Amino acid sequence: GIEIVESAVRDAVANAERNHLKNIRFRCGDSATAEAEGMHFDCIVIDPPRKGCSPAMIEALTRLDPKRIVYVSCNPATLARDAALLAEAGWMITRAQPFDMFPRTGHCETVCMLTKDNR
């Protein structure tokens, strides 16, 4: 896992230890630079801020070319924008699930699975 917020990395490490997961690593950093370190992923889970993915992150996802992308979004507008950019690179939304985690507000979380149609 790559996370830009240091406290979230500490929480992830503690959670992995608590669940006896041995085949997982976490580091603090910008996920848009993962491909520079020779990493390969079958599935990438992203949870960008409300402003959505940076252009560098979209480019990194395209270069990393995972089989699946799980996109967790708190902003339908930036999810739509990023999904359109990813569609240009061959991914399509195959599943989507909204979650009303903030009742009586206009906010809604959405989790989407994107896959490439040639896989």
Side-chain angles (χ1 to χ4, degrees), residues 42-75:
D42 291 326
C43 180
I44 295 176
V45 179
I46 58 174
D47 185 1
R50 184 163 289 282
K51 66 182 179 178
C53 290
S54 67
M57 187 65 215
I58 297 292
E59 290 174 21
L61 289 168
T62 301
R63 282 192 300 274
L64 288 167
D65 197 33
K67 294 177 184 176
R68 293 175 307 280
I69 299 171
V70 177
Y71 191 125
V72 181
S73 175
C74 62
N75 185 342

Side-chain angles (χ1 to χ4, degrees), residues 76-111:
T78 56
L79 169 61
R81 180 201 66 207
D82 293 347
L85 293 170
L86 291 167
E88 290 175 12
W91 280 279
M92 59 187 268
I93 295 176
T94 55
R95 294 188 69 181
Q97 179 65 54
F99 293 91
D100 186 6
M101 297 174 63
F102 310 102
R104 297 183 203 95
T105 73
H107 299 287
C108 182
E109 293 283 320
T110 305
V111 178

